[in-house]
Amino acid sequence: MDNFVPSPQKAIKDFLKRIEKKKVKIAVVGLGYVGLPLAVEFASKGLEVLGLEIDKDRLEHIKRGESYITDVGEDELRAVLRSGKFNASGDFRSLRHIDVIIICVPTPLKRKYHPNISYIKQAVKAISKNLKKGSLVILESTTYPGTTEEVILPLLEIKGLRHNRDFFLSFSPERIDPGNVNYPVNKIPKIVGGITNEATALSVAVYENIIEKVVRVSSAKTAETAKLLENTFRLVNIGLIDELAIMAHKMNIDIWEVIDAASTKPFGFMPFYPGPGVGGHCIPKDPLYLYWKAKHSGFSSRFIKLASDIISDMPEYVVSRIELILKKSNKKLKDSKILVIGVTYKKDIKDLRKSPGIDIISSLHKRNIPVSYFDPLIPYLRLNSINLKSIELTKDVLGNFDCAVIAADHSRLDYDFILRNSKLIFDTRNVYKTKKDRKVFVL
């Protein structure tokens, strides 16, 4: 950082004043599960917001005032569109008049242990061609420690601009929890770490317009690692309880009762629950970004790898348990019809990303086992070799299946009806906790 020429303090103070008075224009790059709620929140607080999205289908939905994100209501979206505070575009040239650019693009995996930051790089290259002098760039996309400083900074300086003189750069990890009504975007504390103190101060001022609590840290690398720690904590504990669930089944112990009992301790214990696997955009992949970066620094994280492997194996374990359940009723898996109930990765959320329910269907499909699904949120599934429609859940239909598997515990399902009319049920979510029935088997 010693080679950077500091921007004049007056220019920074003027920028801060404009941010505080909501006189800056903000662009959110990527209008997905993170970007759209963020953009709408800024616009609803009176800031002028441009949403940049290359997906034409999403742009058409926004143009029609139709929300495709659970956490953004259509009334809310239409209100900011009518106000003129929010509009969407696919043209990066629009950035030439923007003061603050927030990047919220996907960061998937190339292979299981290899991060893919190509979407970030593509976005930053397009931004660098249209970057207004004196503007602030903030990355929210989850990535490995060092990305902001080691990858993004050089890409933004490639045209001759210099950080802390011509632009400012920070990292602020997204913490969106889809469908969590108790913690919408404005109530989730925001971590901010800039490449310099000036970048941090500007970023804090931006988020203070919409977030109740903004937490500044010493560097972008610290902010990047904090996000990965949060999700690694969850991955390791979910992996642990999944393994204990498998162990408990072998020992004829009810793991759910064990967790309830342990949860009565008022200190030193936090309950985690087993399940058929983990989906979504964070837990399955984010810790592996940290694992990859650590390995490149000469350290192998055994905890992360082990927990990831245990969780990844859970859909196959579910299938093996289905086979055992059927065997107890003198039925063979290969001669049975299976119904998977709930295929989203999380209850009440219309999101299929890395859903264990889909993995269970895929595993059965590969074995040529007749499998169908029901999900009130997902009318059809067309993924790889899977091409299915959600069936109608009637008495006769349920009775036609040899085993029903509860893979996602949606609130709107009539579980009593399912219980009355199913032959066997494998409950991976403990929805029948208060029901003791010989036809119900728990994870």
PDB file of all heavy atoms in Angstrom, residues 21-39:
ATOM      1  N   LYS A  21     -25.950  12.365   3.117  1.00  0.00           N
ATOM      2  CA  LYS A  21     -27.140  13.100   2.666  1.00  0.00           C
ATOM      3  C   LYS A  21     -27.902  12.363   1.567  1.00  0.00           C
ATOM      4  O   LYS A  21     -28.849  12.889   0.994  1.00  0.00           O
ATOM      5  CB  LYS A  21     -26.736  14.487   2.173  1.00  0.00           C
ATOM      6  CG  LYS A  21     -26.225  15.406   3.275  1.00  0.00           C
ATOM      7  CD  LYS A  21     -25.831  16.770   2.709  1.00  0.00           C
ATOM      8  CE  LYS A  21     -25.349  17.690   3.820  1.00  0.00           C
ATOM      9  NZ  LYS A  21     -24.945  19.029   3.295  1.00  0.00           N
ATOM     10  N   LYS A  22     -27.451  11.133   1.262  1.00  0.00           N
ATOM     11  CA  LYS A  22     -28.088  10.291   0.240  1.00  0.00           C
ATOM     12  C   LYS A  22     -28.062  10.947  -1.139  1.00  0.00           C
ATOM     13  O   LYS A  22     -29.001  10.823  -1.923  1.00  0.00           O
ATOM     14  CB  LYS A  22     -29.522   9.948   0.654  1.00  0.00           C
ATOM     15  CG  LYS A  22     -29.601   9.226   1.992  1.00  0.00           C
ATOM     16  CD  LYS A  22     -31.026   8.908   2.378  1.00  0.00           C
ATOM     17  CE  LYS A  22     -31.061   8.219   3.742  1.00  0.00           C
ATOM     18  NZ  LYS A  22     -32.421   7.905   4.182  1.00  0.00           N
ATOM     19  N   LYS A  23     -26.959  11.630  -1.414  1.00  0.00           N
ATOM     20  CA  LYS A  23     -26.793  12.302  -2.704  1.00  0.00           C
ATOM     21  C   LYS A  23     -25.881  11.525  -3.649  1.00  0.00           C
ATOM     22  O   LYS A  23     -25.373  12.072  -4.623  1.00  0.00           O
ATOM     23  CB  LYS A  23     -26.207  13.708  -2.486  1.00  0.00           C
ATOM     24  CG  LYS A  23     -27.080  14.628  -1.644  1.00  0.00           C
ATOM     25  CD  LYS A  23     -28.395  14.929  -2.331  1.00  0.00           C
ATOM     26  CE  LYS A  23     -29.216  15.920  -1.509  1.00  0.00           C
ATOM     27  NZ  LYS A  23     -30.558  16.147  -2.132  1.00  0.00           N
ATOM     28  N   VAL A  24     -25.661  10.244  -3.350  1.00  0.00           N
ATOM     29  CA  VAL A  24     -24.818   9.407  -4.214  1.00  0.00           C
ATOM     30  C   VAL A  24     -25.685   8.416  -4.977  1.00  0.00           C
ATOM     31  O   VAL A  24     -26.778   8.056  -4.543  1.00  0.00           O
ATOM     32  CB  VAL A  24     -23.752   8.644  -3.403  1.00  0.00           C
ATOM     33  CG1 VAL A  24     -22.731   9.590  -2.825  1.00  0.00           C
ATOM     34  CG2 VAL A  24     -24.398   7.804  -2.313  1.00  0.00           C
ATOM     35  N   LYS A  25     -25.187   7.997  -6.124  1.00  0.00           N
ATOM     36  CA  LYS A  25     -25.867   6.972  -6.919  1.00  0.00           C
ATOM     37  C   LYS A  25     -25.186   5.633  -6.666  1.00  0.00           C
ATOM     38  O   LYS A  25     -23.957   5.540  -6.715  1.00  0.00           O
ATOM     39  CB  LYS A  25     -25.803   7.323  -8.405  1.00  0.00           C
ATOM     40  CG  LYS A  25     -26.561   8.601  -8.762  1.00  0.00           C
ATOM     41  CD  LYS A  25     -26.449   8.902 -10.247  1.00  0.00           C
ATOM     42  CE  LYS A  25     -27.199  10.176 -10.600  1.00  0.00           C
ATOM     43  NZ  LYS A  25     -27.078  10.496 -12.053  1.00  0.00           N
ATOM     44  N   ILE A  26     -25.994   4.635  -6.403  1.00  0.00           N
ATOM     45  CA  ILE A  26     -25.475   3.311  -6.064  1.00  0.00           C
ATOM     46  C   ILE A  26     -25.840   2.308  -7.148  1.00  0.00           C
ATOM     47  O   ILE A  26     -26.967   2.318  -7.660  1.00  0.00           O
ATOM     48  CB  ILE A  26     -26.046   2.838  -4.707  1.00  0.00           C
ATOM     49  CG1 ILE A  26     -25.534   3.755  -3.588  1.00  0.00           C
ATOM     50  CG2 ILE A  26     -25.670   1.384  -4.419  1.00  0.00           C
ATOM     51  CD1 ILE A  26     -26.102   3.432  -2.228  1.00  0.00           C
ATOM     52  N   ALA A  27     -24.896   1.450  -7.503  1.00  0.00           N
ATOM     53  CA  ALA A  27     -25.173   0.341  -8.426  1.00  0.00           C
ATOM     54  C   ALA A  27     -24.944  -0.971  -7.690  1.00  0.00           C
ATOM     55  O   ALA A  27     -23.945  -1.128  -6.974  1.00  0.00           O
ATOM     56  CB  ALA A  27     -24.275   0.408  -9.652  1.00  0.00           C
ATOM     57  N   VAL A  28     -25.870  -1.895  -7.851  1.00  0.00           N
ATOM     58  CA  VAL A  28     -25.718  -3.241  -7.307  1.00  0.00           C
ATOM     59  C   VAL A  28     -25.566  -4.192  -8.485  1.00  0.00           C
ATOM     60  O   VAL A  28     -26.469  -4.302  -9.324  1.00  0.00           O
ATOM     61  CB  VAL A  28     -26.926  -3.650  -6.436  1.00  0.00           C
ATOM     62  CG1 VAL A  28     -26.763  -5.086  -5.952  1.00  0.00           C
ATOM     63  CG2 VAL A  28     -27.067  -2.702  -5.249  1.00  0.00           C
ATOM     64  N   VAL A  29     -24.419  -4.835  -8.583  1.00  0.00           N
ATOM     65  CA  VAL A  29     -24.113  -5.724  -9.705  1.00  0.00           C
ATOM     66  C   VAL A  29     -24.478  -7.157  -9.314  1.00  0.00           C
ATOM     67  O   VAL A  29     -23.853  -7.750  -8.440  1.00  0.00           O
ATOM     68  CB  VAL A  29     -22.622  -5.635 -10.093  1.00  0.00           C
ATOM     69  CG1 VAL A  29     -22.328  -6.547 -11.284  1.00  0.00           C
ATOM     70  CG2 VAL A  29     -22.242  -4.202 -10.413  1.00  0.00           C
ATOM     71  N   GLY A  30     -25.504  -7.692  -9.968  1.00  0.00           N
ATOM     72  CA  GLY A  30     -25.999  -9.027  -9.655  1.00  0.00           C
ATOM     73  C   GLY A  30     -27.243  -8.933  -8.803  1.00  0.00           C
ATOM     74  O   GLY A  30     -27.176  -8.583  -7.624  1.00  0.00           O
ATOM     75  N   LEU A  31     -28.406  -9.223  -9.390  1.00  0.00           N
ATOM     76  CA  LEU A  31     -29.683  -9.062  -8.688  1.00  0.00           C
ATOM     77  C   LEU A  31     -30.269 -10.418  -8.301  1.00  0.00           C
ATOM     78  O   LEU A  31     -31.391 -10.757  -8.670  1.00  0.00           O
ATOM     79  CB  LEU A  31     -30.659  -8.271  -9.555  1.00  0.00           C
ATOM     80  CG  LEU A  31     -30.221  -6.834  -9.890  1.00  0.00           C
ATOM     81  CD1 LEU A  31     -31.221  -6.176 -10.816  1.00  0.00           C
ATOM     82  CD2 LEU A  31     -30.021  -6.011  -8.618  1.00  0.00           C
ATOM     83  N   GLY A  32     -29.481 -11.170  -7.553  1.00  0.00           N
ATOM     84  CA  GLY A  32     -29.945 -12.471  -7.079  1.00  0.00           C
ATOM     85  C   GLY A  32     -30.440 -12.389  -5.655  1.00  0.00           C
ATOM     86  O   GLY A  32     -30.984 -11.368  -5.227  1.00  0.00           O
ATOM     87  N   TYR A  33     -30.226 -13.464  -4.885  1.00  0.00           N
ATOM     88  CA  TYR A  33     -30.732 -13.554  -3.521  1.00  0.00           C
ATOM     89  C   TYR A  33     -30.096 -12.537  -2.582  1.00  0.00           C
ATOM     90  O   TYR A  33     -30.670 -12.211  -1.543  1.00  0.00           O
ATOM     91  CB  TYR A  33     -30.508 -14.973  -2.987  1.00  0.00           C
ATOM     92  CG  TYR A  33     -31.425 -15.984  -3.617  1.00  0.00           C
ATOM     93  CD1 TYR A  33     -31.092 -16.584  -4.835  1.00  0.00           C
ATOM     94  CD2 TYR A  33     -32.637 -16.319  -3.031  1.00  0.00           C
ATOM     95  CE1 TYR A  33     -31.946 -17.498  -5.445  1.00  0.00           C
ATOM     96  CE2 TYR A  33     -33.503 -17.225  -3.629  1.00  0.00           C
ATOM     97  CZ  TYR A  33     -33.150 -17.816  -4.835  1.00  0.00           C
ATOM     98  OH  TYR A  33     -33.999 -18.709  -5.432  1.00  0.00           O
ATOM     99  N   VAL A  34     -28.922 -12.042  -2.936  1.00  0.00           N
ATOM    100  CA  VAL A  34     -28.256 -11.019  -2.138  1.00  0.00           C
ATOM    101  C   VAL A  34     -28.497  -9.636  -2.733  1.00  0.00           C
ATOM    102  O   VAL A  34     -28.884  -8.699  -2.035  1.00  0.00           O
ATOM    103  CB  VAL A  34     -26.733 -11.293  -2.060  1.00  0.00           C
ATOM    104  CG1 VAL A  34     -26.020 -10.160  -1.337  1.00  0.00           C
ATOM    105  CG2 VAL A  34     -26.473 -12.622  -1.372  1.00  0.00           C
ATOM    106  N   GLY A  35     -28.278  -9.515  -4.035  1.00  0.00           N
ATOM    107  CA  GLY A  35     -28.299  -8.210  -4.681  1.00  0.00           C
ATOM    108  C   GLY A  35     -29.651  -7.522  -4.736  1.00  0.00           C
ATOM    109  O   GLY A  35     -29.756  -6.318  -4.462  1.00  0.00           O
ATOM    110  N   LEU A  36     -30.707  -8.264  -5.070  1.00  0.00           N
ATOM    111  CA  LEU A  36     -32.023  -7.618  -5.210  1.00  0.00           C
ATOM    112  C   LEU A  36     -32.543  -7.076  -3.874  1.00  0.00           C
ATOM    113  O   LEU A  36     -32.978  -5.918  -3.817  1.00  0.00           O
ATOM    114  CB  LEU A  36     -33.031  -8.567  -5.850  1.00  0.00           C
ATOM    115  CG  LEU A  36     -34.387  -7.933  -6.180  1.00  0.00           C
ATOM    116  CD1 LEU A  36     -34.234  -6.779  -7.162  1.00  0.00           C
ATOM    117  CD2 LEU A  36     -35.364  -8.966  -6.739  1.00  0.00           C
ATOM    118  N   PRO A  37     -32.520  -7.857  -2.773  1.00  0.00           N
ATOM    119  CA  PRO A  37     -32.949  -7.280  -1.497  1.00  0.00           C
ATOM    120  C   PRO A  37     -32.136  -6.048  -1.101  1.00  0.00           C
ATOM    121  O   PRO A  37     -32.679  -5.081  -0.568  1.00  0.00           O
ATOM    122  CB  PRO A  37     -32.737  -8.422  -0.495  1.00  0.00           C
ATOM    123  CG  PRO A  37     -32.811  -9.665  -1.319  1.00  0.00           C
ATOM    124  CD  PRO A  37     -32.194  -9.293  -2.640  1.00  0.00           C
ATOM    125  N   LEU A  38     -30.829  -6.089  -1.370  1.00  0.00           N
ATOM    126  CA  LEU A  38     -29.959  -4.963  -1.030  1.00  0.00           C
ATOM    127  C   LEU A  38     -30.328  -3.730  -1.845  1.00  0.00           C
ATOM    128  O   LEU A  38     -30.464  -2.614  -1.303  1.00  0.00           O
ATOM    129  CB  LEU A  38     -28.505  -5.350  -1.280  1.00  0.00           C
ATOM    130  CG  LEU A  38     -27.432  -4.395  -0.769  1.00  0.00           C
ATOM    131  CD1 LEU A  38     -27.409  -4.379   0.754  1.00  0.00           C
ATOM    132  CD2 LEU A  38     -26.061  -4.809  -1.309  1.00  0.00           C
ATOM    133  N   ALA A  39     -30.516  -3.917  -3.152  1.00  0.00           N
ATOM    134  CA  ALA A  39     -30.857  -2.798  -4.031  1.00  0.00           C
ATOM    135  C   ALA A  39     -32.196  -2.172  -3.637  1.00  0.00           C
ATOM    136  O   ALA A  39     -32.330  -0.943  -3.568  1.00  0.00           O
ATOM    137  CB  ALA A  39     -30.906  -3.278  -5.487  1.00  0.00           C
TER     138      ALA A  39
END
